[in-house]
Amino acid sequence: MDSDLISSHCMWETWNLYNGRSLSGTPLAERDGKVTRKMSENGTCNRILTLDSMNPCIQKVEYAVRGPIVIRAVELEKELQQGVKKPFTEVIKANIGDAHAMGQKPVTFLRQVSAICLYPELMNDNKFPEDVKQKAARILQACGGHSIGAYSASQGIEVIRQDVAKYIERRDGGILSDPNNIYLSTGASDSIVTMLKLLVSGQGKSRTGVMIPIPQYPLYSAALAELDAVQVNYYLDEENCWALDINELRRALAEARKHCDPKVLCIINPGNPTGQVQSRKCIEDVIRFAAEENLFLMADEVYQDNVYAKGCAFHSFKKVLFEMGPKYSETLELASFHSTSKGYMGECGFRGGYMEVINMDPAVKQQLTKLVSVRLCPPVPGQVLLDVIVNPPKPGEPSYKQFISEKQAVLNNLAEKARLTEEILNQAPGIRCNPVQGAMYSFPRIHIPEKAIKLAQAEGQAPDMFFCMKLLEETGICVVPGSGFGQREGTHHFRMTILPPTDKLKSLLERLKDFHQKFMDEYS
């Protein structure tokens, strides 16, 4: 069975399990009853692991980005390959921020260093520039047996952590970074979940509450469900370009303290799925709020290279924290996260990332190191790629001009597509799209007629799921319903990535605009 078919098979099985049915369509309870009777007849015991006996927290986990919409999209791709006639010729997966899957070309320097580290015989190939060979040799020298096939230290290869610390210092204008505070990870997601594991404790009213933005990236709600933590929602201001409002933070915190112990504030900047970029003043206000309320601050900054709007700039929480002086920089506990998957790199499959912790209790830090050691180490190829990202070619080095040219071309292209997405979607009556200031997504608000809302409810679907499924079936465009990210009651959205090639993105946006008008006409 080929890998795509296995993937499709697994996803379809997952979707059926969500709906209580087996692959054949038989209700699971009926099928399992027959199996149990057969096991009993053969003298064997009943199953130990069942839906009733399994960890109940896992059943609460949902991850909209790879949910039923995507499962159906994979099925449609298979049907097209089999010659089944559809009103479209291809499925466009605009559901996930996977740059290379959408056609973005790898940055040459990143792949050249990675290639030599994977196959050191390439050191003898004169096609590779000297600076590439030097960087690869330095990384290999730091690996066990001079091979990236060896385990690394659990916290990550030391020279790479040193390079990450130097990168942070350059980014933040010279503010010191300690390599011992850097933890390399399997993408940013892994370290985010690891940090939440450390933070969540207590029972009943003492159970840890974690404040997350709504709309949010579903990693957070999924991780909190798995850990049985209390999700505390604070709403971003859609009328003000998805800005973060301190008064809304205060409201959410006060409400949460009635039933749990809020200890953590999560920030995503630039925003996913909403694409906003926080101002420096906003970040200062958040830091003051977290300090006043004694909250641990988690700053998800994986889109820090992706800022497009005029007047917007990325400010790291760490930089602002230290520039606010010792009152905050010596007391506020902060963990910030970055990844190889986004930015200009888009190297999702390497699963590289890092976390930096600030003001962590040394005893807790020992526990963190112990926790990450259970999984031995992050993938070493991902660590290698991360090192090349944080330690790129310098002016005067052989690879510098090509690297800068390729990097800037990607970012300029993304900026143009961000502008294009806002412009075209806002031409459609019933669709309102805020400026895509940063990141890789648009989160437009859509009007759904009452008739369609009632039909969706009758089918047990959220109205925007109903819309997105119809969109997929009729146009082949795969986007994610806003209900999977959270939204204010009575509003409907979808998230789409801006990553498709420009011509394909224009076509996608025009088809989406036309479909929405048709949808409005049909259900009004």
Side-chain angles (χ1 to χ4, degrees), residues 61-165:
V61 171
E62 294 183 2
Y63 190 65
V65 174
R66 293 188 178 225
I69 285 278
V70 184
I71 294 168
R72 180 59 185 146
V74 171
E75 287 181 351
L76 288 171
E77 285 183 319
K78 297 294 182 186
E79 290 174 18
L80 286 170
Q81 290 168 11
Q82 294 162 5
V84 178
K85 296 298 181 186
K86 300 286 179 185
F88 48 86
T89 57
E90 67 172 329
V91 173
I92 303 176
K93 292 180 182 173
N95 62 293
I96 194 166
D98 191 349
H100 291 196
M102 289 285 100
Q104 181 178 309
K105 300 300 181 187
V107 174
T108 303
F109 183 76
L110 306 187
R111 288 298 184 90
Q112 285 179 329
V113 176
S114 297
I116 293 180
C117 287
L118 283 164
Y119 187 57
E121 292 297 317
L122 293 174
M123 285 280 193
N124 302 317
D125 192 325
N126 59 15
K127 295 188 184 73
F128 289 82
E130 200 58 36
D131 58 339
V132 167
K133 294 178 181 180
Q134 289 172 0
K135 287 188 188 295
R138 177 173 175 267
I139 293 169
L140 289 170
Q141 187 68 33
C143 295
H146 300 169
S147 169
I148 67 169
Y151 288 129
S152 77
S154 297
Q155 202 169 335
I157 296 170
E158 185 174 4
V159 296
I160 297 179
R161 288 189 289 113
Q162 291 170 353
D163 287 346
V164 170

Side-chain angles (χ1 to χ4, degrees), residues 82-262:
Q82 294 162 5
V84 178
K85 296 298 181 186
K86 300 286 179 185
F88 48 86
T89 57
E90 67 172 329
V91 173
I92 303 176
K93 292 180 182 173
N95 62 293
I96 194 166
D98 191 349
H100 291 196
M102 289 285 100
Q104 181 178 309
K105 300 300 181 187
V107 174
T108 303
F109 183 76
L110 306 187
R111 288 298 184 90
Q112 285 179 329
V113 176
S114 297
I116 293 180
C117 287
L118 283 164
Y119 187 57
E121 292 297 317
L122 293 174
M123 285 280 193
N124 302 317
D125 192 325
N126 59 15
K127 295 188 184 73
F128 289 82
E130 200 58 36
D131 58 339
V132 167
K133 294 178 181 180
Q134 289 172 0
K135 287 188 188 295
R138 177 173 175 267
I139 293 169
L140 289 170
Q141 187 68 33
C143 295
H146 300 169
S147 169
I148 67 169
Y151 288 129
S152 77
S154 297
Q155 202 169 335
I157 296 170
E158 185 174 4
V159 296
I160 297 179
R161 288 189 289 113
Q162 291 170 353
D163 287 346
V164 170
K166 290 173 185 173
Y167 160 81
I168 292 170
E169 290 175 359
R170 291 195 305 273
R171 181 197 70 186
D172 293 345
I175 293 168
L176 295 180
S177 176
D178 183 349
N180 292 317
N181 290 336
I182 306 293
Y183 289 78
L184 307 189
S185 60
T186 308
S189 301
D190 180 54
S191 51
I192 289 168
V193 174
T194 296
M195 186 54 60
L196 288 171
K197 285 180 179 179
L198 286 179
L199 286 158
V200 173
S201 64
Q203 298 294 330
K205 284 193 173 183
S206 68
R207 191 64 175 162
T208 298
V210 179
M211 301 180 69
I212 65 171
I214 298 296
Q216 53 105 20
Y217 177 49
L219 164 70
Y220 290 91
S221 55
L224 297 179
E226 182 181 349
L227 297 170
D228 200 25
V230 179
Q231 177 177 316
V232 178
N233 297 338
Y234 66 88
Y235 291 87
L236 301 177
D237 184 1
E238 184 172 10
E239 305 305 317
N240 190 23
C241 205
W242 298 112
L244 191 158
D245 182 357
I246 293 297
N247 290 328
E248 170 61 12
L249 286 181
R250 296 193 189 283
R251 179 208 63 78
L253 181 65
E255 186 64 30
R257 281 181 170 156
K258 296 175 184 177
H259 59 87
C260 69
D261 179 19

Side-chain angles (χ1 to χ4, degrees), residues 1-14:
M1 191 180 287
D2 65 72
S3 60
D4 286 342
L5 192 55
I6 290 170
S7 175
S8 176
H9 177 91
C10 291
M11 286 193 292
W12 177 238
E13 184 172 26
T14 301

Side-chain angles (χ1 to χ4, degrees), residues 315-354:
H315 304 279
S316 81
F317 268 80
K318 182 189 175 184
K319 182 175 190 287
V320 176
L321 173 67
F322 276 78
E323 289 178 348
M324 289 174 69
K327 178 182 176 181
Y328 299 101
S329 64
E330 293 180 1
T331 58
L332 185 75
E333 294 164 84
L334 168 69
S336 55
F337 309 89
H338 197 17
S339 169
T340 65
S341 301
K342 309 304 176 185
Y344 63 90
M345 309 81 68
E347 294 281 12
C348 304
F350 276 84
R351 307 309 299 133
Y354 74 78

Side-chain angles (χ1 to χ4, degrees), residues 254-288:
E255 186 64 30
R257 281 181 170 156
K258 296 175 184 177
H259 59 87
C260 69
D261 179 19
K263 292 196 296 189
V264 188
L265 172 58
C266 297
I267 305 288
I268 308 174
N269 179 50
N272 175 11
T274 44
Q276 85 284 6
V277 177
Q278 291 183 2
S279 68
R280 183 189 170 95
K281 180 183 182 304
C282 177
I283 293 171
E284 290 177 355
D285 289 343
V286 168
I287 289 171
R288 289 190 192 96

Side-chain angles (χ1 to χ4, degrees), residues 385-400:
L385 190 82
L386 176 66
D387 186 73
V388 189
I389 291 165
V390 300
N391 187 21
K394 298 177 179 62
E397 293 181 346
S399 300
Y400 178 75

Side-chain angles (χ1 to χ4, degrees), residues 368-380:
L368 170 59
T369 303
K370 177 184 74 175
L371 182 58
V372 299
S373 72
V374 172
R375 282 175 283 184
L376 297 176
C377 69
V380 177

